[in-house]
Amino acid sequence: MTPADLYRQMLLIRRFEETVLDSFPRGWFYGTTHTGIGQEANAVGVLCLRRPGEVVVSNHRCHGHFLAYGGPMTALAAELMGRATGVCGGRGGSQHLVYEDFYASGVLGGTLPLAVGMALAERRRGGIAIVFLGDGALGEGAVYESLNIAALWRLPVLFVVENNRYAQTTPIQLHLAGDIAARFGAFGIPVDERDTTDVLEIRDLAEQALARLRGGEGPQALVLHTYRFSPHSRGDDLRDPLEIEHFRLRDPLLVHGARLGAEERQAIDAGVEVAVRQAFDQALAAPTAAPDSLTPALEGGA
């Protein structure tokens, strides 16, 4: 991807999620949602290097990962609306997506056993798995069982920790003891750690980790210290506004956007605005998923 492509992809994710939060009071969506506004550089910096067929596993905060994977934006909007044209036919909502080699689940920490199992299968096919987790997931026991098996069996899986410094509304100093990188080190898993929102810096780190992974060196880990500007969900935000403003100085769109010319950036901004608006308009016009379509899907039907 060119620098302009990276900016466009991050902006697309940003505008999509801002539209979701702004539109929730209109009753467009079912359930709840979790956005990662401010964390876009992680998804784009890592997944711009993904090769066809490589598996991606995400969590409840999955919109950015899905769009960076290359998932269709209109289908994602439709999924959140419970429309028949959604990624999963309107059955999965915001947190549970299955699309080609992309899988997301809202079960906190439960995505790691899923990813490790997939990595075992992928090893037989010469592939790899990439799994994103947040700092909140590090309080789940299944995470450490997964790290143990991945290291013991030298499975081709890249763990990407997005430490946004909060587990829901609890600051990291109140929910997590010790050091994040040391957790991987305890299992002998090589780890790169960086406090950055620069998509180019993240891409460089990911490139090195993926090269080792594809070269058969066993599981790898990235720990990316970041920040989420948006609430955990829709309105549950207890943080000091001054703290949020402080981190906005590191907005990944500002950091990377400064590398582009003003005219080029304005053209991308305008194009993204149109694309996002069209995606939501098309999703709104799609038929609502029929409740009786759920059972055939669970039984392996359409």
Side-chain angles (χ1 to χ4, degrees):
M1 278 188 171
T2 66
D5 292 334
L6 295 170
Y7 176 78
R8 182 184 296 105
Q9 189 64 65
M10 290 195 293
L11 183 63
L12 195 74
I13 294 169
R14 175 73 59 89
R15 293 290 179 262
F16 179 92
E17 294 206 302
E18 287 177 340
T19 302
V20 170
L21 288 181
D22 291 345
S23 304
F24 230 103
R26 300 181 184 180
W28 287 3
F29 309 108
Y30 288 97
T32 189
T33 193
H34 305 84
T35 60
I37 294 173
Q39 300 181 202
E40 297 88 353
N42 301 333
V44 175
V46 174
L47 295 182
C48 71
L49 301 169
R50 174 188 166 273
R51 295 174 180 172
E54 293 181 340
V55 170
V56 177
V57 179
S58 180
N59 49 30
H60 58 292
R61 211 174 299 284
C62 62
H63 306 153
H65 303 144
F66 179 81
L67 294 173
Y69 170 90
M73 182 166 53
T74 300
L76 179 59
E79 184 61 37
L80 271 61
M81 296 176 185
R83 306 289 171 152
T85 55
V87 177
C88 300
R91 304 179 184 100
S94 174
Q95 304 182 63
H96 303 280
L97 302 176
V98 176
Y99 175 77
E100 297 180 351
D101 297 307
F102 183 93
Y103 306 87
S105 168
V107 179
L108 189 67
T111 49
L112 267 77
L114 182 69
V116 167
M118 289 181 175
L120 175 60
E122 289 303 310
R123 184 173 65 179
R124 296 171 180 168
R125 291 194 284 260
I128 67 168
I130 302 168
V131 57
F132 290 87
L133 64 150
D135 50 292
L138 297 173
E140 297 292 328
V143 169
Y144 302 97
E145 296 176 56
S146 302
L147 297 184
N148 180 60
I149 290 298
L152 190 65
W153 293 351
R154 293 178 59 79
L155 297 178
V157 55
L158 173 62
F159 301 99
V160 182
V161 179
E162 297 182 274
N163 171 26
N164 63 23
R165 308 165 201 263
Y166 283 85
Q168 192 162 344
T169 57
T170 305
I172 191 168
Q173 63 269 23
L174 297 182
H175 77 77
L176 198 67
D179 182 80
I180 295 177
R183 284 165 158 76
F184 294 93
F187 293 95
I189 297 175
V191 55
D192 292 315
E193 181 178 21
R194 197 66 55 91
D195 188 345
T196 182
T197 56
D198 185 343
V199 68
L200 295 185
E201 200 171 345
I202 293 167
R203 185 182 64 178
D204 289 346
L205 277 180
E207 188 170 31
Q208 296 168 31
L210 287 168
R212 295 193 296 270
L213 190 67
R214 291 167 180 147
E217 296 186 28
Q220 308 288 319
L222 292 179
V223 177
L224 302 173
H225 303 288
T226 184
Y227 196 79
R228 165 173 48 79
F229 303 147
S230 48
H232 164 72
S233 180
R234 287 177 289 156
D236 47 349
D237 200 345
L238 305 177
R239 297 173 297 179
D240 184 342
L242 292 177
E243 177 187 296
I244 300 173
E245 288 307 306
H246 168 73
F247 279 101
R248 281 192 183 278
L249 297 174
R250 299 175 53 190
D251 186 329
L253 289 174
L254 294 179
V255 171
H256 188 62
R259 297 182 175 117
L260 306 181
E263 191 171 326
E264 183 179 30
R265 200 169 60 242
Q266 289 167 6
I268 294 171
D269 292 352
V272 166
E273 292 297 333
V274 170
V276 172
R277 185 170 64 250
Q278 288 178 342
F280 279 87
D281 286 347
Q282 290 171 12
L284 280 168
T288 302
D292 60 6
S293 69
L294 176 62
T295 302
L298 293 174
E299 293 172 347

